[in-house]
Amino acid sequence: MVGVPDGQAPAVRRAPAGSPLLSLALATMMDGVDAHSGAVYLLAADEPVLEMAVMAGLPRAFAAPWERVGLSAPIPVAEAVRERRLIWVPGDEEMARRYPRVSVVLPYPFALAALPVATEAAVYGAVFVTWPGSHPHELSDREREHLTAACERLAVRLARAAEESRPVLPEPDLLAAPPTGGVAGTLGSIEAARMVARLPYGLCSLDLHGRIAFGNAAAAELIGVPVSRLLGTQLWATVPWLNDPVYEDRYRAALISQQPTSFLALRPPGEWLSFRLYPSTTGLSVRVSRARGVSEMGRALPRAGGSPSRLVTISQVLTLAGALTQAVTVQDVVQLVADEIVPAVGGQALVVLGSRAGRLHVLGHRGYADPHIVERFDGMPLSEPTPGAHALNSGVPAFFESREELERLYPIRHTAPDGFAAWAYLPLIASGRPVGTVVLAYPEPRVFAADEKAVLSSLGGLIALALERALLYDAKHQLAHGLQAALLPPSLPPLPGIDTAARYLPSTRGMDIGGDFYDLVQSGGLAAAVIGDVQGHNVTAAGLMGQIRTAVRAYTTVGQAPEEVMRSTNRLLIDLGSDLFASCLYLRLDPVRGRAVMARAGHPPPLLRRPDGRVRVLDLAGGPLLGIDASATYPTTEVDLAPGSVLALYTDGLVESPGADIEDALAVLGRRLCEAGDRPLDELADVLVGHEAGTEERIDDVALLLLRARGAG
């Protein structure tokens, strides 16, 4: 079609419709293949979305989650449009495997075909039709040809309507006539009504919406509600003790599968009733009778007013989804799944697999007595014939109900018995690509029903999003720490007459990387120490910190005096044109004379512990922060550094915190230095940062550099 990009036709204008084009086409299509339900979708006018225009054979509420379908959605009608071909799903097992989102909502035995409604030039929409679960596993050539031809004819009609500017609108759904209500005599002949009335069990007739169109006196007596109150209503909406999703689920199962279903319900206080549902394409007939011999099985039956028996309840799913939003690291995700999902689905052990550089990697595991059984798969090529690698490569879940089944398909597992008897391998698909695989192990052989497969596969989607986010976080965390480690000295060089120790703690906010730095420089008989803090906790601050550290080393090496080192570094920072400022404290050390010359640029004052244990704050003269004033000067102060003295240089993250007074914090730091100052420097460093190291939330980086004078020896 001229002017339509990507082969998509513009949706026809929304205006009053003429003849029921879509309804007639859908009815003809279904009649030709004996389908019992179906729907036509039209492509939206201004977005890549399919909108349901008409549905037949079942209430539209059954397909409510798919009233509007994005073309990228993982469901059959969208895939039919994307791939421009017929999509065939022969039953609930295949639906659970390929389309778990559909199977979670409709976990019933039925077959489905979806086709695009398209000409060679443009796409106008899509169609799906369904059959009962008894349909043959393969779609016959006659059915395939009839459906394809019908969709092609519909596409031609829609193309002609678009060319002639004839609008096509959503049309009334094709369902049975609404209930007329009345009494037993509405069944037909009077004799037929008398016959039904004489039966010892209850009979009800339900339309496709589940509303009661007829009920005999026996049904009303058994249920305990007059016929007049039942007519035109739904059983589960009218009868309080039938208001349970399990019972409504049986009605939906009967209509979709077109197979009889049944359930037992407890009418208070203690009478069990049996409900047998016989479906057709126009509604259901329900037989109600007293149940016999249910005392032994009562414990397993749903109780009136109780919660439905489900593999994973809605509340559990919501709890899991909420918890997964708080999982930060990969190990958080592993632990959460082990705590929340594995017990809920009856599992006993868990493995989370990922891939890197073409190899399988074990990201975490729980529940295995011998960890080596799992870890032996770490680093295995993805080309190896293992179920974990296959699920990750293919994106298709796999369920093994016994060890024999697993080992028959994957002989490599003969060499790795793990003590379990059934497994579910769930690919974790996020952003359209596999990010890993979750392996759930069960202690006993297990039959995985279609609805269980669908639920597990859908839970895999929740886990995948959390794992993708956690993998990105861990990668960012490793990058940040790698960059920080590269910018800080890997070790402190030995200085004559001086013992040294240092600590660095990153902020817990931002990228866990910041502008705090320290360094020791020894060149040509000169020894210097420097500590500083570039504002910010990001890559820019870290990069600028690296430039400042390099500049200080260079200016020290060429022999500049302390005040000149500070002035030169200040001018460099201004010349770089950065919007960031930096504080800095620079010391030129002379252990032979027992002296230190210091220059300060807006940095917190150092602490000096004298050999007798007294500690004082060195209130040094200084200049403004680096990067503010190109003409700034930085006066120096000379300090005694007798043998046994300890200088503590630090950044403000060690003494500043919200709501705390800086003077009080300095006093606390001074007391710690006084009390622990005689310990080895590494122990002293741990004491001084001990409180901050154990803090889960640090709003700033912390750097600490300790210098202890030994004397000239």
Side-chain angles (χ1 to χ4, degrees):
M1 177 175 287
V2 177
V4 180
D6 300 327
Q8 292 182 5
V12 286
R13 293 185 295 109
R14 300 304 193 219
S19 61
L21 168 63
L22 305 178
S23 301
L24 290 174
L26 180 59
T28 302
M29 202 179 305
M30 292 169 55
D31 288 343
V33 294
D34 295 322
H36 82 284
S37 75
V40 177
Y41 287 82
L42 293 179
L43 195 63
D46 53 358
E47 53 184 332
V49 170
L50 293 169
E51 298 178 329
M52 185 180 291
V54 63
M55 188 166 182
L58 290 175
R60 185 176 288 232
F62 282 32
W66 309 288
E67 285 272 1
R68 283 172 51 87
V69 175
L71 290 183
S72 60
I75 68 171
V77 287
E79 186 172 328
V81 171
R82 290 197 304 269
E83 301 186 7
R84 300 287 289 270
R85 67 180 181 89
L86 185 151
I87 302 297
W88 169 241
V89 186
D92 52 340
E93 293 276 343
E94 188 73 6
M95 186 69 77
R97 187 179 71 84
R98 292 166 56 188
Y99 306 103
R101 294 187 190 178
V102 176
S103 192
V104 165
V105 179
L106 302 174
Y108 315 117
F110 68 97
L112 178 144
L115 302 89
V117 177
T119 63
E120 290 187 2
V123 176
Y124 293 91
V127 167
F128 78 76
V129 294
T130 70
W131 294 264
S134 56
H135 188 282
H137 192 76
E138 298 295 334
L139 193 64
S140 71
D141 291 340
R142 183 192 64 80
E143 291 170 324
R144 187 179 296 270
E145 291 168 3
H146 175 82
L147 292 172
T148 302
C151 286
E152 290 174 351
R153 288 194 299 271
L154 178 57
V156 170
R157 294 187 184 113
L158 290 173
R160 188 178 303 123
E163 291 169 0
E164 298 172 358
S165 298
R166 286 189 289 109
V168 177
L169 266 179
E171 301 169 7
D173 293 339
L174 301 176
L175 291 174
T180 58
V183 294
T186 59
L187 275 178
S189 70
I190 295 177
E191 188 57 38
R194 289 173 177 169
M195 177 194 71
V196 171
R198 287 194 295 265
L199 293 174
Y201 45 79
L203 287 178
C204 294
S205 176
L206 276 58
D207 70 3
L208 293 176
H209 291 284
R211 295 174 302 207
I212 301 173
F214 167 82
N216 68 358
E221 180 182 356
L222 287 167
I223 295 173
V225 178
V227 172
S228 59
R229 283 182 51 197
L230 290 175
L231 293 175
T233 68
Q234 297 170 319
L235 274 174
W236 47 89
T238 304
V239 184
W241 47 272
L242 287 175
N243 186 15
D244 190 311
V246 170
Y247 307 140
E248 183 181 355
D249 176 78
R250 294 296 82 203
Y251 142 78
R252 293 163 63 93
L255 280 185
I256 293 176
S257 68
Q258 289 292 291
Q259 297 175 358
T261 63
S262 62
F263 62 86
L264 295 176
L266 177 63
R267 174 186 169 181
E271 184 175 26
W272 286 97
L273 298 182
S274 170
F275 292 78
R276 182 76 172 169
L277 287 67
Y278 299 90
S280 75
T281 56
T282 59
L284 301 98
S285 297
V286 182
R287 171 177 165 168
V288 186
S289 60
R290 288 182 173 84
R292 305 296 181 187
V294 297
S295 56
E296 296 82 6
M297 53 189 297
R299 297 187 186 91
L301 297 172
R303 304 285 178 175
S307 59
S309 173
R310 296 186 182 275
L311 176 69
V312 178
T313 65
I314 293 175
S315 62
Q316 284 175 306
V317 172
L318 293 176
T319 299
L320 173 67
L324 284 172
T325 63
Q326 300 175 0
V328 177
T329 68
V330 170
Q331 291 309 309
D332 289 344
V333 175
V334 173
Q335 190 62 52
L336 185 66
V337 175
D339 293 343
E340 299 281 346
I341 289 296
V342 175
V345 301
Q348 188 170 314
L350 162 79
V351 183
V352 179
L353 302 171
S355 66
R356 187 172 61 250
R359 293 185 176 274
L360 201 66
H361 287 275
V362 177
L363 302 178
H365 58 83
R366 299 289 186 277
Y368 287 85
D370 183 1
H372 299 294
I373 292 175
V374 177
E375 292 165 359
R376 67 185 295 270
F377 291 97
D378 192 67
M380 182 173 288
L382 287 175
S383 57
E384 286 290 320
T386 65
H390 183 265
L392 200 151
N393 286 327
S394 66
V396 177
F399 301 90
F400 303 97
E401 299 181 348
S402 66
R403 170 165 294 282
E404 292 74 21
E405 182 182 0
L406 177 68
E407 293 178 350
R408 183 176 68 253
L409 294 174
Y410 296 96
I412 192 172
R413 287 301 304 265
H414 280 288
T415 62
D418 55 17
F420 295 103
W423 299 262
Y425 285 79
L426 309 175
L428 305 180
I429 310 296
S431 304
R433 64 182 184 86
V435 297
T437 299
V438 162
V439 185
L440 301 175
Y442 299 82
E444 304 293 337
R446 186 182 188 89
V447 175
F448 292 95
D451 57 346
E452 182 176 7
K453 293 179 181 179
V455 168
L456 291 175
S457 298
S458 294
L459 289 175
L462 287 176
I463 299 168
L465 294 175
L467 181 62
E468 181 185 44
R469 185 175 63 249
L471 288 169
L472 290 174
Y473 175 85
D474 283 355
K476 183 191 77 172
H477 193 71
Q478 293 172 6
L479 173 64
H481 279 268
L483 178 58
Q484 190 81 56
L487 293 174
L488 292 172
S491 60
L492 297 176
L495 298 179
I498 300 289
D499 293 329
T500 61
R503 294 292 184 270
Y504 174 80
L505 301 175
S507 163
T508 58
R509 298 183 180 180
M511 276 194 66
D512 288 354
I513 185 172
D516 288 23
F517 68 97
Y518 56 84
D519 202 2
L520 295 178
V521 184
Q522 183 180 13
S523 177
L526 296 174
V530 62
I531 192 167
D533 181 2
V534 179
Q535 67 180 130
H537 309 110
N538 51 40
V539 174
T540 302
L544 190 61
M545 174 265 281
Q547 291 175 300
I548 292 175
R549 178 174 165 243
T550 301
V552 169
R553 293 183 69 90
Y555 298 141
T556 300
T557 301
V558 299
Q560 288 189 359
E563 62 272 21
E564 286 299 321
V565 171
M566 297 296 277
R567 282 201 296 267
S568 297
T569 305
N570 178 52
R571 287 193 296 268
L572 172 66
L573 188 56
I574 292 174
D575 291 342
L576 290 174
S578 172
D579 294 331
L580 301 179
F581 308 132
S583 68
C584 190
L585 179 64
Y586 180 87
L587 289 76
R588 181 65 52 80
L589 299 168
D590 187 353
V592 174
R593 295 176 51 237
R595 311 289 290 173
V597 180
M598 305 184 187
R600 184 164 70 106
H603 199 80
L607 298 180
L608 174 65
R609 184 185 189 274
R610 298 185 180 280
D612 60 7
R614 290 180 299 164
V615 174
R616 72 184 181 97
V617 178
L618 299 179
D619 189 12
L620 309 174
L625 293 168
L626 302 177
I628 293 179
D629 181 4
S631 62
T633 59
Y634 298 92
T636 59
T637 302
E638 188 170 295
V639 178
D640 288 330
L641 200 59
S645 300
V646 177
L647 267 174
L649 318 180
Y650 55 91
T651 57
D652 54 10
L654 187 61
V655 293
E656 290 185 0
S657 60
D661 183 86
I662 185 68
E663 299 296 332
D664 293 340
L666 274 176
V668 171
L669 184 64
R671 283 198 297 272
R672 291 180 186 162
L673 179 59
C674 175
E675 295 166 359
D678 292 328
R679 297 187 187 185
L681 279 193
D682 278 324
E683 291 185 20
L684 176 59
D686 290 336
V687 169
L688 296 184
V689 301
H691 175 72
E692 288 297 325
T695 301
E696 294 182 1
E697 177 94 357
R698 281 188 300 277
I699 63 173
D700 202 359
D701 311 314
V702 173
L704 173 70
L705 179 61
L706 298 179
L707 309 171
R708 174 180 283 153
R710 295 196 310 265

